[in-house]
């Protein structure tokens, strides 16, 4: 042992270092030096969270030699722990709480031992999230109660939490207080405590226990999607989605608001439907991860403002008309049980902040997941859904608005539309010469033309499929830019046009899947009404994008992020062909899936980001589309495929656009009428 | 108007005075000068709480002349208010928020206009309580929401509460948030808000609303008693009591603890029984006051530790054996709805602090109601009940203990015992010469000998009646000091002994009410077992008193306060004759009724006293009777009537004690055996 009364310890990867007294444990040394080293058991050689690697025979950049023998040897408890956990314990590994310093050392804290380690997530903007959930789990030893001593169990637990973990001013939830006495008896004074937000004890269990879980949910008008996460690792244990059962009361937001207003028990029914669905989702996600709903300690939720209000039992009527008043825009924490949510009895429900009007916390989720406010490039983030939200901005500021696209992009209001689930057509390609389609079905490997027809079993078309098929019909010239089937279209390969494009009087439909290719034995077609509904939806979305661009005073954006909670990612090229998004360098258009859900998950895993999101929500400048005259104007003008008023130079450069047909002045007028609805001569 | 830019205003009775700018309202002037002047509507001439009297033509002690004309005249709003409230509005009265200062004035704030006025209560120690409940009610005007403005209803309400009332950092309970939007719409932006503990909005109603109510409840082992109070005035609007339905699971605390331990659903059943009873009590009290349960905004509750734990669903098993560990001793606030209590949806449940062992918050209630810790005289406070608590102390310190008296004092374990309710015999006198009784029945005017036998309708004997009848039997010589009926007793007036004292073999009973005097047509008697049960109960109580006196090192106390939640006050003389309390100057013995319930009411009406009670509970020095060898010794020695070991000089001086009979040595031994239970030769 060195004659020096203190030894130098360097921790990697933080580089933090300093002198510690001989005999100090590595866990204590880490705490002294501000090194992020995890622990649940507080130094009892039980939890293994403080596992570190001892670098042997190396010199750090300060020239300090490291010697594993500069640590006290493993005692029986550590040896027993290692024997139980051989796989995770290479020979150079020690328990930080057991190994005590006897000389200079170089220590590496592996990622899994960092309490606030970064979890990398897939995103358009790869931004690491440092794990920092609202919940923590600690093991404490509570002094026994002695006759004549006047401290209750809770008072002695508080004393132990203060002494061992420096936790003060805690309160205890009643269900946890009910657990406390029996847990102390069973654990012989040792209990594992779950603490929420450094403020409230929500669980007490006997002895050493591990496992903290949270659920992040995006409540969409049509789809509810959730990720069940391990709060100790940030890992996604299960992802589940289900249809929002409120669709039986109305497909879009305004019809739900109307239902709540027109029926005495309307709000109650809508509220109970969503609570029931969340309980179902939680149960399914927990089951998929081998857990129970009551293991879920926190639920973080995003949704549009109408969903948010109905979920809380707040009257959504004011959201149905100008000035679109919210009950509150603030983030909220409440006991999940207060809403009838059957999770852990002490589980917290965190609702992210709302922006304004119909732009809810789902868009705040998108905001923290995609962070346009941290970009140099002017970024357009489009969250496609039954109610779509658009963000436009960069470091200099962000604008937001909401567009009532309707549920067509989620497969509703489409003749053979369906939710993204096994059997749904999610990808479509149409041969430019023959007009023959091929497609991919969720749950099947390969394209339809690579499979036996009977092995395909298509059941319908989901959102990404409907976007692709309409875009492909345009590219093949089967649909005209005004969205009508072209009566003059013929296959260039000399085939029979009526095989795929079937006319019934003035109306046509496109045969996407033949009867042999479907599970039902009936063909799947794309009708003129389907195309009209997609036109309306994309028109609304495009109008929202244009409105924000007009407010920002720009004609072009640098980047586009396409998000959506429904099934497969949207194909950027076809979204642009359809005129769903404005023109942009295709290399700068990315699809990211459920960004709102990703935002909810970030808020679940990081209270720092959770707090940031509330501030970011306030900074976004909201534009109310519902009363903006420009929005209606843009909407009407945005119905054509591809958009006629705004040239799409990037798309044109790709040679993807069909030749615009020279329309006669008279025909052009008819096209304009047709753009706002089917013209009478079509009926 | 004076040329002086400021006018002098003196407020009585506080004497606070100062200069205010011309045009300042009297309400604003009161606030500037720190004068306690009430208001709900915040100066809208609506609530009338700020009514003041303008002293005319008088000079205050500073020589300042007062002139009613130094106030602006009443405008249309004030005139309309006065027209609607003529009775409460003498001519010299003005609304403080309407009348503005135009010259020097002398103003009297009447008691009903003082927000923190003192409410005087009947008690052994007349201590005024300043009204200071946890709830307040304020009227606010919320700015309308304008299109494009991004504050929700709650954010605009917070802004209004800050602006008009200086209230900040509030949270809002979900049921109140649900009320907010509709209330703002109905009240055209004006809403009345109920705020709990200056921290949480728990109610929002449209326009001006008045009425804040609270319930103070003492949960005894046998009886549950509650006062419904108007929190704006401190008045008791209703007092209700009912039997604790847990008695079906065991009459005393230990049998309830056993029931909870021995049955899987034992705790659940006991818990549900008490919650159901509290809901019933709240409903009955609200009904009696012309209100509904949901009008009760707060419930303050006291009870012994076992009742406290069962009420919260906490396992009471640790209270069944040494070291008698509490789950917590701290005062608690929780949402009443979390326990299934059907009060106002945002109602708070406040549980006062516990002391230790079996001495619960009921004794803390007694402590703040009777305040022995503020007395110079050494005071013994005895709270008689199924579990009795004793306090002994003065300014120099207070001791407490609990005595398992059993339910005899509450009419249980007594052959014809019953709860104090109409029909119960509550007072008894027995003629010393004839042995003939007369009695009073609850709900009947006059004594039994003043009424027609058929008009009496006695149904049983309540606690105070059983204490009196046993004491009177002793005074008449019918019972011997060892508690046995004297076989040699004969009426001194020559009447027939067997008319009232009926022997069946070695056992006797005393005929208190004849068949004609009862509602059932069957006589009401006092049996030898009844006397034995009273002896056991009073022995336990007396032993507790003696134990504390021994700890304190005193032979005598200066004062005795007799409290009890059951029906009529206990008669001090007869309590002393019975040996229920130690000897004391009878003029220094007072009976105060339900002091624990009074304490609960004080805590309901005053948050200052509520906070004090938690500190006082910690200061009391607790003595555990259950494991104290002296207690058992005292208990056995305390069974005789009157007590044989400790002379009762004050009682002897009154000539109230029967002549002690010179007992033979052999008989004395038998007496001692009899003291711990019926001797075998009695069977």
């Amino acid at each position: 042992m060195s004659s020096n009364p203190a030894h130098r310890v360097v921790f990697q990867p933080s580089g933090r270092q300093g002198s510690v007294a001989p005999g100090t444990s590595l866990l204590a040394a880490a705490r002294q030096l501000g090194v992020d080293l995890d622990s649940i058991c507080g130094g009892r050689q039980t939890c293994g969270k403080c596992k570190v690697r001892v670098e042997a025979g190396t010199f750090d950049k300060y020239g300090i030699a490291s010697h594993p023998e500069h640590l006290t040897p493993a005692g029986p408890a550590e040896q027993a722990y290692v024997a139980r956990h051989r796989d995770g314990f290479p020979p150079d590994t020690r328990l930080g709480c057991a190994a005590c310093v006897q000389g200079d050392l170089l220590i590496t804290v592996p990622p899994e031992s960092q309490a606030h380690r970064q979890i990398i997530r897939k995103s358009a903007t790869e931004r690491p999230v440092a794990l920092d959930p609202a919940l923590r789990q600690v093991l404490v030893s509570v002094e026994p109660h002695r006759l004549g001593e006047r401290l209750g169990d809770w008072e002695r637990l508080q004393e132990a939490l203060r002494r061992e973990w420096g936790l003060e001013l805690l309160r205890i939830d009643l269900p946890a207080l009910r657990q406390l006495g029996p847990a102390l008896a069973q654990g012989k004074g040792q209990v594992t405590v779950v603490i929420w937000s450094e403020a409230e004890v929500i669980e007490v269990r006997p002895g050493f226990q591990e496992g903290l879980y949270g659920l992040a949910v995006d409540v969409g008008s049509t789809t509810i999607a959730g990720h069940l996460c391990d709060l100790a690792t940030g890992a996604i244990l299960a992802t589940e989605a289900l249809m929002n059962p409120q669709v039986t009361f109305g497909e879009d937001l305004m019809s739900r608001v109307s239902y709540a207003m027109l029926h005495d028990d309307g709000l109650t029914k809508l509220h109970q439907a969503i609570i029931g669905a969340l309980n179902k989702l939680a149960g399914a996600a927990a089951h998929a991860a081998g857990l129970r709903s009551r293991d879920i300690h926190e639920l973080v939720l995003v949704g549009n403002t109408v969903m948010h209000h109905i979920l809380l039992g707040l009257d959504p009527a004011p959201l149905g008309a100008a000035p679109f008043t919210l009950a509150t825009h603030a983030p909220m924490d409440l006991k999940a049980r207060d809403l009838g949510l059957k999770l852990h009895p002490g589980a917290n429900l965190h609702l992210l902040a709302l922006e304004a009007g119909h732009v809810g916390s789902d868009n705040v989720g998108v905001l923290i997941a995609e962070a346009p406010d941290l970009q140099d490039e002017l970024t357009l983030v489009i969250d496609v859904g039954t109610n779509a939200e658009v963000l436009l901005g960069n470091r200099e500021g962000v604008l937001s608005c909401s567009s009532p696209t309707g549920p067509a992009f989620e497969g509703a209001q489409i003749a053979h539309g369906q939710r993204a689930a096994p059997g749904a057509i999610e990808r479509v390609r149409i041969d430019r010469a023959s007009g023959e389609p091929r497609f991919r079905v969720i749950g099947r490997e390969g394209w339809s033309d690579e499979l036996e027809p009977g092995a395909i079993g298509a059941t319908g078309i989901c959102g990404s499929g409907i976007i692709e098929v309409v875009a492909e019909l345009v590219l093949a010239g089967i649909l005209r830019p005004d969205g009508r089937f072209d009566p003059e279209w013929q296959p260039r390969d000399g085939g029979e046009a009526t095989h795929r494009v079937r006319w019934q009087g003035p109306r046509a439909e496109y045969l996407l899947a033949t009867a042999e290719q479907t599970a039902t034995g009936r063909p799947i077609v794309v009708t003129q009404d389907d195309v009209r509904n997609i036109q309306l939806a994309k028109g609304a979305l495009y109008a929202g994008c244009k409105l924000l661009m007009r407010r920002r005073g720009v004609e072009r954006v640098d980047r586009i992020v396409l998000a959506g909670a429904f099934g497969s990612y949207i194909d950027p090229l076809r979204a642009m062909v359809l005129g769903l998004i404005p023109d942009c360098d295709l290399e700068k258009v990315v699809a990211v899936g459920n960004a709102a859900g990703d935002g909810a998950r970030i808020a679940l895993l990081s209270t720092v980001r959770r707090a940031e999101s509330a501030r970011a929500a306030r900074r976004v400048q909201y534009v109310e589309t519902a009363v903006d005259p420009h929005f209606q104007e843009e909407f009407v003008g945005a119905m054509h495929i591809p958009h006629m008023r705004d040239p799409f130079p990037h798309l044109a450069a790709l040679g993807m656009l069909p030749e615009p047909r020279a329309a006669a002045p008279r025909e052009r007028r008819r096209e304009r009428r047709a753009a706002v609805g089917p013209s009478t001569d079509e009926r």
Side-chain angles (χ1 to χ4, degrees), chain A:
Chain A
M1 204 191 277
S2 159
S3 63
N4 190 328
H7 304 300
R8 193 156 194 81
V9 183
V10 182
F11 284 95
Q12 292 177 325
S14 65
R16 287 181 183 262
Q17 56 165 310
S19 295
V20 300
T24 307
S25 76
L26 288 174
L27 177 60
R31 289 189 178 166
Q32 281 173 31
L33 301 174
V35 173
D36 182 27
L37 181 55
D38 205 358
S39 175
I40 291 178
C41 72
R44 290 179 180 78
Q45 306 181 34
T46 307
C47 72
K49 298 282 172 194
C50 64
K51 199 173 66 178
V52 293
R53 202 165 66 237
V54 187
E55 303 300 337
T58 54
F59 291 80
D60 79 334
K61 62 182 170 184
Y62 304 93
I64 295 164
S66 181
H67 304 283
E69 67 274 20
H70 283 182
L71 283 170
T72 51
E78 187 175 1
Q79 286 171 11
Y81 182 88
V82 172
R84 286 199 307 278
H85 303 86
R86 265 183 219 291
D87 289 349
F89 237 85
D92 57 348
T93 308
R94 292 293 303 274
L95 287 179
C97 64
C100 295
V101 178
Q102 294 187 320
D104 295 354
L105 285 156
L106 178 60
I107 301 294
T108 295
V109 180
E112 64 269 27
S113 299
Q114 295 167 19
H116 303 286
R117 63 187 165 283
Q118 293 188 338
I119 44 170
I120 306 293
R121 38 169 234 98
K122 280 186 188 169
S123 151
T125 48
E126 280 289 354
R127 286 197 308 149
V129 176
L131 197 59
D132 177 34
L135 292 147
R136 65 190 283 194
Q137 205 164 25
V138 298
L139 178 69
V140 279
S141 291
V142 178
E143 294 288 317
H145 179 222
R146 290 179 187 89
L147 186 66
E149 188 198 53
R150 294 185 52 191
L151 296 175
D153 289 335
W154 167 230
E155 287 73 29
R156 284 177 292 111
L157 174 59
Q158 281 174 289
E159 167 57 27
L161 286 167
R162 192 197 57 69
R163 188 178 62 240
E164 295 187 9
W165 295 93
L167 289 162
E168 295 195 79
L169 298 174
L170 297 178
R171 58 182 189 275
I172 187 165
D173 195 27
L174 183 58
L177 185 60
R178 288 174 178 162
Q179 296 176 311
L180 177 54
L184 285 172
Q186 198 186 326
K188 296 185 176 60
Q190 277 208 354
V191 289
T192 301
V193 169
V194 174
I195 296 156
W196 177 76
S197 203
E198 304 291 274
E200 185 179 42
V201 170
I202 66 162
E203 182 183 279
V204 183
R205 292 200 292 160
F208 175 70
Q209 304 275 350
E210 225 180 328
L212 276 179
Y213 307 98
L215 187 64
V217 176
D218 172 25
V219 179
S221 309
T222 306
T223 309
I224 304 175
H227 297 299
L228 179 64
C229 299
D230 184 333
L231 298 181
T233 66
I236 298 179
L237 303 180
T239 296
E240 294 284 330
L242 45 79
M243 184 78 98
N244 187 334
Q246 293 178 342
V247 292
T248 58
F249 303 103
E251 284 192 329
D252 56 34
L253 292 186
M254 284 309 103
S255 49
R256 310 256 175 100
V257 172
S258 299
Y259 186 87
M261 290 170 72
L262 297 175
H263 298 79
D264 278 349
D265 60 348
L267 175 56
T268 306
K269 278 189 177 167
L270 288 165
H271 172 71
Q272 286 170 347
I274 192 69
I275 296 299
L278 286 171
N279 281 330
K280 201 169 153 189
L281 183 82
H287 183 76
L291 300 168
R292 296 161 307 164
S293 291
R294 58 172 294 124
D295 295 323
I296 298 173
H297 289 90
E298 187 168 48
L299 173 60
V300 171
L301 206 138
V302 298
N304 61 58
T305 55
V306 175
M307 290 302 103
H308 169 279
H309 275 45
I310 291 174
L311 181 96
L312 289 175
L314 300 169
D315 182 11
L319 298 172
F324 309 103
T325 308
L326 298 171
T328 176
H329 65 238
M332 289 183 78
D333 286 302
L334 62 164
K335 286 289 175 194
R337 61 175 182 250
D338 276 356
L339 287 175
L341 291 168
K342 298 190 182 81
L343 310 175
H344 186 280
N348 181 62
L349 167 62
H350 180 80
L351 297 156
L352 268 70
L354 304 177
E355 289 179 29
H358 297 145
V359 183
S361 49
D362 46 357
N363 197 43
V364 176
V366 174
L367 187 63
I368 63 168
E370 300 307 328
D373 54 324
L374 303 182
Q375 315 291 319
D376 290 319
E377 293 172 309
L378 187 65
T379 304
L380 183 69
V381 187
I382 304 173
D383 190 18
V384 183
T386 303
N387 200 64
E389 290 89 31
V390 185
L391 289 166
L392 174 67
N394 55 14
R395 288 186 198 284
E396 291 161 30
V398 177
L399 296 165
S400 78
C401 75
S402 117
S403 259
T405 45
F409 288 140
E410 296 188 61
Q413 292 179 350
I414 299 296
H416 290 88
Q418 73 158 87
R419 195 166 69 80
I425 295 173
E426 58 166 350
R427 293 262 166 277
V428 179
R429 295 292 177 270
I430 295 176
D431 188 84
R432 306 284 184 270
S434 66
E436 284 295 312
R438 56 198 195 102
F439 54 84
R440 288 184 77 109
V441 161
I442 297 178
R444 296 277 175 284
E445 283 293 319
W447 289 81
S448 58
D449 56 353
E450 298 158 6
L451 301 167
E452 288 299 312
I456 297 169
T459 52
I461 319 172
C462 72
S464 57
I466 195 78
I467 288 170
E468 295 206 353
V469 72
V470 176
E472 287 285 317
L473 286 171
V474 170
L475 290 173
I478 297 171
L479 286 179
R480 300 196 307 188
D482 65 1
R484 283 191 291 174
F485 281 94
D486 188 341
E488 293 164 32
W489 180 81
Q490 294 294 336
R492 275 181 271 156
D493 69 353
E496 185 62 50
T498 51
H499 169 58
R500 289 289 170 183
V501 183
R502 310 195 296 197
W503 286 87
Q504 296 183 322
R507 299 174 75 87
E509 61 183 25
Y510 178 78
L511 176 68
L512 178 56
T514 61
E516 300 81 52
Q517 292 174 315
T518 70
T520 59
R522 279 173 298 167
I524 293 173
V525 299
V526 178
T527 70
Q528 183 68 68
D529 281 348
D530 293 348
V531 176
R532 286 279 176 255
N533 284 329
I534 288 293
Q535 277 180 281
L536 284 166
K538 78 102 188 173
L541 196 49
Y542 188 82
C545 298
K546 290 299 286 184
L547 181 67
L548 294 193
M549 289 164 73
R550 182 197 287 254
R551 281 287 171 101
R552 185 75 178 223
V554 296
E555 294 281 323
R556 295 279 178 276
V557 298
D558 299 327
R559 278 174 79 240
I560 296 179
V561 177
L562 261 175
F566 53 96
S568 310
Y569 289 2
I570 296 166
D571 177 56
L573 170 64
R574 283 159 189 86
M576 203 183 291
V577 166
L578 201 59
L580 190 141
I581 55 175
D583 189 56
C584 184
D585 180 355
L586 256 185
E587 303 215 333
K588 292 286 196 173
V589 183
V590 286
V592 294
N594 183 1
D598 285 344
R601 190 163 58 89
I602 291 169
L604 172 67
L605 297 177
S606 166
T607 49
V608 172
R609 299 290 290 276
R610 193 184 291 190
E612 278 174 15
S613 77
R615 292 190 292 273
R618 292 287 87 198
R619 280 196 303 269
V620 171
Q621 196 188 330
Y622 171 73
V623 180
E624 181 54 72
T625 51
V627 293
D628 193 300
H630 293 309
F631 180 78
Q632 287 304 320
E633 188 186 304
E634 292 285 356
F635 186 20
V636 173
M639 299 283 288
H640 278 202
I641 306 167
H643 194 265
M644 304 300 279
R645 261 188 338 194
D646 305 307
F648 273 47
H650 284 99
L651 205 57
L654 289 172
M656 298 299 287
L657 291 183
E659 291 293 306
R661 289 157 53 97
R666 184 195 171 105
E667 194 180 356
R668 211 179 269 151
R669 274 202 306 281
R670 279 178 56 197
E671 275 176 6
R672 193 156 296 160
R673 288 214 324 270
V676 284
S679 62
T680 46
D681 60 357
E682 280 185 318
R683 291 193 189 121

